[in-house]
Amino acid sequence: MLRALSGLTTRGRCLLAAGVAAAACAAVLNERDLLRVALFVVALPLLIVVFVAATRVRIGAGRTLLPERVAVGRSGEVQLELWRNGRLPAGEVMLEDGVPYALGARPRFVVEHLPHHRSVALRYSLQPVLRGIQQVGPLRATITDPFGLCEFDRELIGHSRLVVVPKVVGLSGLPIGAGIGSGDDGSIRLHAGQGETDVIVRQYRQGDDLRKVHWPSTARRDEIMVRIEERPWRGGTTVLLDHRAAAHHGTGPAASLEWAVSFSASVCLHLRRAGHRVRLVTEHGNVLADTPGEGGEYYDNIVLDSLAALQPAHQRDITTGYDPAHGQELIAVLGTVSNESVHELIRYRPRGTRSLAVLLDTPTWAGGTGAPDQPGSTAESAALLRAAGWGVLVAGPNSPMPEVWSGLCTSATRRGSLIGGVS
């Protein structure tokens, strides 16, 4: 009874107190008419408490997310259904669904009457601005009576999982000679039939093993050609994402880490749809996704889901300990990197293997400017990588991703390019 009385509003408590006071006065003054009024005033909120307590357990609800996976910047929708299970009429119901700030405003609905034979459909939109695994809910209902004397809170539905994936930008073009697992742009593919042995040849270089001379090609081209063995027709590409917290600047959707995640997602999906096997790894060599060059949306979702759940790492330096690309072509998306981290990447990458890097000028994400003369600055890191044979592009917060990708594709001939006006 005490638990039920806790649902009385201030109006209900005042009415109950007034009834008790009137009953006391009626006893003192021996006024029976006043006593009848007092009994009615006391009984009214008590009866309403019993009625609302009985109807609140007879309300059911359901929630549907459309879709359950949504990209940053796109809109989603939540559909709610509310129904009455019993025959007792329900009072006014106020609904409030728990929505994280990253998904938009918290919705509220007021349902005055719940019909008995059908459900009430409600809906509201979500506007995600930040990737992540978000929890929608719980859905809470506040049930009140028409007089405003009593109300009860109840949780109708728990949490629903919503995957907010990074924004994917459309890209075009491929790095020159990409997809053969070698940095040699002059390589020639000889076999393309399924099930045949893949043979790639190039011009003879001093020191090459003469046992690898491909005589049919040599006779046809009238120059010595050697074969590159065990190179797949559709070579793999490894995308390395630097997600160290110390390597990035900015907060929320405008952080440099979010730009790097979105660019990495765009590159992975673009290469995979072009027929490349794509491995997505972290700066410590942890594999986030390994997808083939064929297949549909299922493999795209593997990449996007892994990036949606990615949290900043607390390590300060890049410590791969081995070639993170396992001999494949490497595209690294890097934040602020120290000279030691740059040497760590260079150390395990053979000079003849294609290696490309997008360096983020992270100080500009914090509203500052780059410091090219300081050790470990973006300019110095770019110079060290270029000296090691890497194709490097520097990007800032205003750098359009399609332009960054186009510049990266031609970085072999456009060294030192700067996209988006980064200073």
Side-chain angles (χ1 to χ4, degrees):
M1 186 63 181
L2 293 177
R3 185 177 180 180
L5 290 176
S6 65
L8 286 172
T9 62
T10 301
R11 181 184 300 177
R13 294 174 188 273
C14 290
L15 188 62
L16 186 61
V20 172
C25 292
V28 172
L29 300 176
N30 196 22
E31 290 286 343
R32 291 188 176 182
D33 293 337
L34 182 59
L35 182 60
R36 294 189 184 96
V37 174
L39 292 177
F40 173 78
V41 172
V42 171
L44 180 62
L46 297 180
L47 292 174
I48 291 178
V49 165
V50 174
F51 172 77
V52 175
T55 57
R56 74 185 183 113
V57 298
R58 300 175 184 273
I59 296 178
R63 180 197 294 122
T64 304
L65 302 182
L66 297 175
E68 295 183 351
R69 180 185 291 102
V70 62
V72 171
R74 299 290 183 89
S75 61
E77 186 178 78
V78 179
Q79 294 184 352
L80 301 175
E81 282 189 303
L82 196 66
W83 61 84
R84 178 160 53 95
N85 294 323
R87 294 186 175 276
L88 289 177
E92 183 181 85
V93 181
M94 185 180 74
L95 301 173
E96 183 178 27
D97 209 359
V99 174
Y101 77 94
L103 298 180
R106 179 168 295 184
R108 292 183 178 179
F109 303 94
V110 176
V111 181
E112 296 183 355
H113 300 287
L114 277 178
H116 176 63
H117 297 291
R118 61 181 178 86
S119 60
V120 174
L122 306 170
R123 61 181 61 191
Y124 63 91
S125 61
L126 299 175
Q127 300 291 336
V129 297
L130 191 64
R131 65 177 177 86
I133 308 299
Q134 305 289 353
Q135 299 292 335
V136 179
L139 177 66
R140 304 193 66 87
T142 301
I143 304 171
T144 60
D145 69 285
F147 302 102
L149 301 179
C150 180
E151 65 179 18
F152 288 96
D153 292 331
R154 181 189 172 192
E155 181 178 314
L156 298 181
I157 314 175
H159 293 89
S160 298
R161 183 173 179 266
L162 177 68
V163 181
V164 181
V165 300
K167 181 180 179 180
V168 175
V169 178
L171 305 176
S172 61
L174 293 171
I176 299 174
I180 60 174
S182 173
D184 184 10
D185 296 341
S187 302
I188 302 173
R189 301 162 180 169
L190 293 185
H191 294 286
Q194 187 174 3
E196 296 179 358
T197 303
D198 294 328
V199 178
I200 302 174
V201 297
R202 59 170 172 80
Q203 294 177 349
Y204 172 82
R205 297 173 183 172
Q206 186 176 2
D208 284 341
D209 190 350
L210 293 177
R211 290 174 297 180
K212 294 184 178 180
V213 174
H214 193 262
W215 296 109
S217 299
T218 300
R220 184 165 47 250
R221 296 176 61 90
D222 198 22
E223 59 180 329
I224 300 178
M225 305 294 292
V226 295
R227 64 180 179 271
I228 304 174
E229 296 179 346
E230 297 181 358
R231 296 293 190 182
W233 168 243
R234 291 184 173 181
T237 301
T238 294
V239 177
L240 185 148
L241 172 60
D242 179 9
H243 74 303
R244 295 170 296 137
H248 292 276
H249 289 79
T251 58
S256 61
L257 176 59
E258 298 307 314
W259 193 99
V261 169
S262 180
F263 182 76
S264 299
S266 303
V267 171
C268 287
L269 267 60
H270 174 65
L271 291 176
R272 203 197 69 77
R273 292 167 182 173
H276 293 254
R277 175 187 175 186
V278 177
R279 295 175 69 250
L280 176 63
V281 302
T282 68
E283 72 283 355
H284 301 296
N286 299 325
V287 179
L288 299 177
D290 191 347
T291 60
E294 56 273 344
E297 186 179 356
Y298 170 77
Y299 292 106
D300 290 348
N301 291 337
I302 291 178
V303 174
L304 294 176
D305 288 353
S306 64
L307 289 175
L310 188 68
Q311 297 296 322
H314 298 292
Q315 293 86 347
R316 299 195 62 84
D317 293 318
I318 296 177
T319 54
T320 59
Y322 61 95
D323 178 9
H326 294 285
Q328 294 180 333
E329 296 175 355
L330 176 66
I331 299 176
V333 184
L334 305 173
T336 301
V337 287
S338 64
N339 292 347
E340 291 77 10
S341 297
V342 172
H343 290 305
E344 181 78 10
L345 287 172
I346 296 174
R347 178 182 177 186
Y348 296 101
R349 290 295 292 170
R351 192 177 182 89
T353 304
R354 182 191 302 276
S355 301
L356 304 175
V358 174
L359 279 177
L360 303 189
D361 194 11
T362 55
T364 59
W365 261 272
T369 57
D373 298 331
Q374 294 184 2
S377 66
T378 304
E380 183 174 350
S381 300
L384 290 173
L385 289 171
R386 291 188 184 109
W390 288 50
V392 181
L393 205 74
V394 178
N398 298 321
S399 302
M401 293 184 189
E403 293 186 21
V404 172
W405 174 250
S406 297
L408 195 67
C409 290
T410 57
S411 60
T413 57
R414 290 175 52 194
R415 299 299 176 93
S417 299
L418 201 62
I419 300 296
V422 181
S423 58

